[in-house]
């Protein structure tokens, strides 16, 4: 049987995850934790300044120490109060203006996400962490943690103060009286009874809070699943583009049914949480009331027998209650802090992800003649977590300057081939070589600068149009217009009120919606602006109207000039102009050659060509019409 690992004592009080979150906060900002500690220590000691100074004033008045001695304490009291208030205000201001974690954590989180290996970003566990991060942010996340942490510091100071006040109780004089009860309450045994009462009530409270924390933790795990689904529903409803399909296919009923199911689960979860709060809260009230009653009995009886003055009953009971309440507050906030730390596990896990991609140092040779050679050498690839070989022993060699078309059925592995070429993934087996050197050995950024890709599922962003094309906030406007002209969008942009400064998509008030075809042209312009030696177009004209498509094809040579062009298309007629056509089937290259050679082979390419050939004559006629029209 597996031996149960022994937990260090401190882990019963503070979950190790708390340490991870503190490290994360320290990483966000080195000053946040020290300032929070300072802020709360000052807030906790401020009331004691008045209590201690008042007592000193009273003592000096009673002992007839004179006005000067009394006023000295008054000045100190005023000065210390002022300094304390000033420091608290400065620290509050610092926290709010510079150390606010919400914006910093968002910024750091985005930076990390943008720098993470693409391969990791595509995996479900990482996507879950990102989704969860948003949910945790909405329920207070890091602020909850920091608030509990701060209150814990405050309670610790209060505990020390209350303890100092209670201490004399244990050293009161012993009166040798007859009778067992008198003896108990006049001897040091009364101190032991009081300490035992305090310890038992604290122990009961600890057990209560531990149980509460465990119950909440277990529920949190199970709540994640339906929280994720609810978040998905909210997200898809908020994405107005989904509205078309939801309405066309009458998905409203399915949506509402699934949504209702999730809400029911959520209600069960919330009811359980409320019940937990009531149950454990009720127990704590019972324990507290019993403890305070016992404090009164013990302290009161001691006063009754004349060991302490009647006036000190209040002092001791107040100190004991304050000690006990601070302790309960401490336990409560420890529980809250542990739970908040558990919620923030998605963040600490996210930041602990290491990029696995090997990044070499070799710079990519800058060649004016663009004489690069790329080679796939016996490359196989399976997506992470899958056994299925999407590419199986693929070997392929090409020189820059060639025009290559990748054709094949859906799922044959064409896009995966491109992803490997651009190093979004590394091959499971085999090597990809650039000028005879494994691409892993090149500086990653430099290697990526060799490629301009328009992916099938390309994305534009809600930035200005010019920024989208240049992928930068500063850009050469003339060059941007030139690329827009080549992509066939110049006239349209000229008509836009804000021209290149037009913000895409309606994320703010000013955003502009664009059609799928226009977006595709912008994506092509972006690839052209990058001016990389290899241009890759994955289904580049699927959303274009026939005239735009004709324009792109007729100017294709001009668009790509002396660059290598890799081109994926299901339109066989548009691949014809490529001098090397590579046919993919079941993860391998089954044929390659030019159009005539492949037709002569009468293999897969021939079959695909035949399947579409009836349209080619129509295409030809359409192209003539378009030419005349233009
Ligand atoms: P093609 O571009 O030829 O249509 P892909 O390269 O996109 O084909 O896909 C090849 C196979 O890899 C498909 O079976 C697809 O389901 C699978 N695939 C694609 N992307 C992923 C991914 N991120 N994770 C797992 N499998 C994937």
């Amino acid at each position: 049987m597996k031996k149960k690992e022994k937990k260090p004592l401190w882990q019963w009080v503070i979950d190790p995850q708390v340490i991870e979150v503190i490290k994360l906060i320290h990483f966000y900002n080195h000053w946040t934790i020290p300032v929070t500690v300072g802020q709360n220590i000052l807030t906790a000691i401020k009331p004691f300044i008045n209590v201690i100074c008042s007592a000193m004033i009273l003592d000096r008045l009673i002992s007839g120490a004179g006005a000067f001695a009394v006023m000295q304490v008054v000045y100190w009291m005023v000065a210390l109060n002022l300094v304390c208030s000033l420091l608290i205000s400065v620290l509050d201001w610092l926290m709010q203006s510079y150390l606010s974690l919400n914006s910093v954590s968002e910024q750091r989180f985005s930076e990390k996400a943008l720098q993470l290996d693409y391969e990791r970003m595509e995996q479900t566990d990482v996507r879950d962490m990102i989704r969860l991060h948003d949910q945790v942010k909405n329920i207070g996340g890091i602020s909850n943690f920091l608030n509990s942490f701060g209150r814990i510091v405050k309670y610790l100071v209060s505990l020390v103060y209350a303890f100092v006040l209670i201490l004399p109780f244990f050293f009161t004089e012993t009166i040798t009286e007859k009778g067992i009860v008198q003896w108990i309450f006049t001897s040091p045994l009364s101190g032991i009874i009081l300490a035992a009462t305090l310890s038992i009530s604290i122990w009961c409270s600890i057990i209560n809070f531990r149980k509460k924390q465990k119950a909440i933790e277990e529920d949190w795990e199970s709540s994640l699943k339906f929280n994720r689904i609810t978040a998905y529903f909210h997200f898809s409803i908020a994405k107005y583009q989904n509205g078309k399909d939801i309405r066309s296919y009458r998905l409203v009923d399915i949506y509402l049914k699934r949504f209702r199911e999730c809400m029911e689960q959520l209600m069960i979860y919330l009811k359980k949480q409320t019940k937990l709060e009531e149950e454990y809260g009720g127990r704590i009230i019972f324990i507290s009331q019993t403890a305070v009653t016992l404090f009164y009995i013990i302290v009161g009886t001691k006063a009754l027998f004349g060991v302490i003055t009647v006036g000190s009953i209040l002092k001791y009971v107040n100190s004991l209650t304050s000690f006990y309440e601070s302790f309960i507050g401490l336990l409560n906030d420890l529980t809250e802090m542990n739970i908040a730390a558990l919620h923030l596990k998605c963040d600490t896990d996210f930041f602990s992800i290491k990029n696995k991609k090997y990044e070499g140092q070799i710079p990519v040779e800058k060649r004016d003649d663009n004489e690069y050679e790329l080679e796939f050498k016996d490359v196989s690839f399976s997506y992470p977590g899958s056994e299925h070989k999407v590419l199986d022993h693929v070997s392929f060699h090409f020189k820059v300057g060639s025009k290559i078309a990748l054709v094949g059925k859906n799922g044959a592995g064409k896009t995966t081939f491109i992803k490997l070429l651009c190093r979004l993934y590394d091959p499971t087996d085999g090597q990809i070589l650039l000028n005879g050197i494994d691409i892993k050995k090149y500086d990653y950024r430099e290697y990526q600068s060799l490629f301009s890709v328009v992916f099938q599922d390309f994305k534009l962003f809600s930035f200005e149009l010019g920024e989208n094309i240049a992928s930068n906030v500063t850009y050469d406007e003339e060059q941007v217009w030139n690329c827009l002209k080549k992509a066939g969008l110049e006239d349209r942009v000229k008509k836009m009120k804000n021209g290149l400064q037009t913000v895409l998509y309606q994320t703010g008030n000013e955003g502009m919606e664009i059609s799928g075809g226009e977006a595709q042209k912008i994506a092509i312009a972006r690839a052209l602006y990058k001016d990389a030696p290899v241009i890759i177009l994955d289904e580049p004209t699927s959303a274009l109207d026939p005239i735009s498509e004709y324009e792109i094809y007729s100017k294709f040579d001009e668009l790509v000039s002396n660059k290598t062009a890799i081109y994926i298309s299901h339109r066989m007629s548009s691949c014809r102009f490529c001098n090397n056509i590579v046919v993919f089937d079941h993860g391998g290259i089954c044929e390659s050659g030019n159009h005539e050679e492949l037709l002569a082979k009468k293999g897969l390419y021939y079959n695909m060509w035949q399947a579409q050939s009836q349209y080619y004559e129509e295409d030809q006629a359409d192209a003539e019409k378009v030419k005349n029209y233009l």
Side-chain angles (χ1 to χ4, degrees), residues 122 383 388 390 409-416 419 425:
E122 254 200 10
Y383 279 97
H388 172 62
V390 174
K409 294 180 199 159
N410 290 333
K414 303 178 295 291
T415 303
T416 307
K419 285 184 189 168
Y425 288 91

Side-chain angles (χ1 to χ4, degrees), residues 289-408:
Q289 289 307 318
T290 317
V292 173
T293 312
L294 289 172
F295 296 157
Y296 266 107
I297 293 173
I298 297 166
V299 176
T301 319
K302 211 163 163 110
L304 200 69
F305 292 120
V307 184
I308 54 171
T309 60
V310 176
S312 27
I313 296 180
L314 261 185
K315 182 184 118 188
Y316 284 127
V317 172
N318 279 345
S319 314
L320 279 164
T321 314
S322 150
F323 183 88
Y324 178 71
E325 278 174 357
S326 299
F327 211 96
I328 296 295
L330 183 75
L331 288 177
N332 193 33
D333 272 302
L334 275 171
T335 311
E336 298 285 322
M337 185 175 74
N338 285 338
I339 291 168
L342 171 83
H343 291 179
L344 288 164
K345 196 166 183 319
C346 54
D347 284 19
T348 52
D349 284 353
F350 187 70
F351 279 96
S352 68
I353 302 173
K354 299 256 181 304
N355 274 348
K356 283 201 191 127
K357 190 182 284 296
Y358 175 80
E359 292 190 21
Q361 306 280 317
I362 304 179
V364 174
E365 196 185 352
K366 300 276 178 302
R367 301 184 66 126
D368 292 336
D369 58 5
N370 273 345
E371 274 294 311
Y372 296 103
E373 272 188 47
L374 282 151
E375 183 180 2
F376 273 60
K377 211 170 164 188
D378 205 20
V379 168
S380 297
F381 178 73
S382 307
Y383 279 97
S386 157
E387 298 273 296
H388 172 62
K389 276 192 179 170
V390 174
L391 291 182
D392 197 2
H393 297 284
V394 170
S395 292
F396 182 60
H397 175 263
F398 60 97
K399 262 189 150 190
V400 166
S402 32
K403 310 275 177 282
I404 302 158
L406 308 184
V407 297

